[in-house]
Amino acid sequence: MIKNYFRLLRFLRGHLRLLWIAIVTMLVASLFEGFQLSLLVPMTDRIFNNKKIVIPNKLPEFITGIVQRLNDMDPQTLFWIFPVVVVAALIVKNLFVFCYQYLMSDVSQKVMRDIRYRLYEKIQDLSLDFFSEKRTGELISRITHDVNVVENAVSYGLTDLVRQSFVIVMFVCIAFSIYPKAAFIIFVVFPLIGIPMAKIGRRLHKISKGTQEKMADINSLLLETISGIRVVKAFCMEEYEKNRFRAQNHDYYKLKMKSIKRLIVIPPITEVFGAVCGVAVILWIGRIVVGGGLSFGVFILFFGSIMSIISPIKKLGNVNALIQQALAANDRIYDVLDAKVTVLEKSNAVTIPEMKECIRIENVDFQYDGGSGLVLKDINLEVRKGQIVAIVGPTGSGKTSLANLIPRFYDPTKGVVKMDGTNLKDATFLSLRGQIGIVTQETILFNDTVRANIVYGHRQATQEEIQMAAERAFAHQFIVKMPKGYDTVIGDRGFRLSGGEKQRIAIARAILKNPPILILDEATSQLDSESERFVQEALDKLMQGRTVVAIAHRLSTIKKADQIVVLEAGRLIGMGRHETLLKTCPLYEKLHTIQFQA
């Protein structure tokens, strides 16, 4: 628990100077709070009762001097000084209160800004295998909900932890300076409050972890159902999804109420302990006041000091609750920050030039991290410059996994992938992936303008270059008919576009990048006949003069490929041109027969 808390405090690095300034202003504000009570209460006793201030305990000389001066002054004079002192003390205290609250808020917001950026930066750096295990909604919840929980602990929690500790120490010192024997009650009664507080805190930690996980479930459900609303409506599943959300939402409500129940039980506990403490003080010290051994004003100061400890202890109980919730969120944040990046760029990686000869895959085995078996087994393949190489095979045979090794989305478990003799592990990501364009059957577009989606990764492109890319992709014709042409916002994931239109914008993006190597994951397999014709013509133009690796589902699209690679259960079982494979590869012949009979 302590180790986890220190990990949470690590986020304060870089803001320690500002934090210390805030703490100093907090200390000054607390001192003025103690000054108000320790000076003004005896002054009122001296003014309105005309009795000398009596303190049985020996005090430091400068405090004794102040008390002596107050006793020597005429009550009438003190009466006029009193309001000036009250107002001046109040103004100075609140000035410092404003300063520390503003500074602590600044610290907390900077910390939250840094955590969000660190999380997003790490998510961008993580390898693709991480995303196969984590839900998108869950990751969004880490950046939003979990960070907000930590914010409460840093802004309110840390502020109260420091300030209320100052206040407690100050009032304990005041109480001990007045009557040390009676002040020992602080060490007898108040530590007992810590027992239920600790139990409540431990329980809150567990509940908070469950609450944050449930919020991640809700975020995932929202993301899936809103982005997939067409499917939900197409299958008339609205009621089913409503019921799913209602159940998740109700589970979250129950966890929150468990948390709230434990939070609101803290004030009554401290109130009861405070009342016991107050009664004990009155019964004990009240007799001394009646006997004249202590002035009434000083008794009120002592009693007020003891009772003033109760409110800070209440707040520290709430601080403990906030910290326990934050520690649960901190675990989830560090789960991302500590995640291992499996595909790393070497510190001495080299910039490789544009491919001149070939890509060579040598003796490659591949297994997904945590997978139960090999996805690719002993693959040997050469893709020469300018060739169109098609990869075919049944579903799950490893086609996409093989293609993903070329841009180094994954590293082989065994073997090596080379470009012109250079191991891809020795190349910089920029020089490797800068040569590769990818068009997949699942088109990824952003909720931005048509122009922004086409120039993605090539933002310096001119309007002429953008339009030329769109024309070559057969996209210009429908773009100019849109309400704002190239400046039309296309909606989340291109919601306002048809499947064929989305694919053509994705192809325009690839054309603008002008990569020498192209990876196609059958971009026409999910389109209607008319859209397929346009997209296939756009792809034909895109492939001209490039090295192409095409994952093919429809064999009719790859008859003219220079080389067709046939995979079955991760093994390369056939390689050659279309006519050759029909004669030499039974699986290819079977796939061909099935498709053309259909």
Side-chain angles (χ1 to χ4, degrees), residues 390-394 397 399 550 552 555 558 564-568 588 591:
I391 306 172
V392 302
S397 58
K399 301 185 293 295
L555 303 187
I558 50 119
I564 299 171
V565 176
V566 185
L567 294 180
E568 183 179 33
Y588 185 81
L591 292 172

Side-chain angles (χ1 to χ4, degrees), residues 42 85 158 361 380 414 427 451 464 480 525:
V85 174
L158 190 58
I361 298 170
N380 286 278
K414 190 191 90 173
R451 183 193 316 279
E464 290 74 18
V480 293
S525 63

Side-chain angles (χ1 to χ4, degrees), residues 295-353:
S295 63
F296 181 73
V298 176
F299 168 70
I300 293 300
L301 174 59
F302 178 83
F303 184 75
S305 298
I306 296 290
M307 299 310 288
S308 293
I309 296 171
I310 296 171
S311 178
I313 288 177
K314 269 190 202 176
K315 291 181 179 176
L316 286 179
N318 289 328
V319 166
N320 181 49
L322 285 174
I323 288 173
Q324 293 303 327
Q325 291 172 331
L327 291 179
N330 194 52
D331 289 336
R332 289 163 53 79
I333 287 170
Y334 271 103
D335 181 50
V336 176
L337 294 179
D338 292 341
K340 185 181 176 183
V341 181
T342 54
V343 179
L344 286 166
E345 182 178 275
K346 290 183 178 179
S347 57
N348 60 344
V350 298
T351 300
I352 56 173

Side-chain angles (χ1 to χ4, degrees), residues 151-172:
E151 179 184 2
N152 290 332
V154 174
S155 56
Y156 305 114
L158 190 58
T159 300
D160 275 341
L161 179 64
V162 176
R163 183 162 187 263
Q164 303 311 326
S165 299
F166 280 159
V167 171
I168 289 172
V169 169
M170 182 178 58
F171 283 121
V172 167

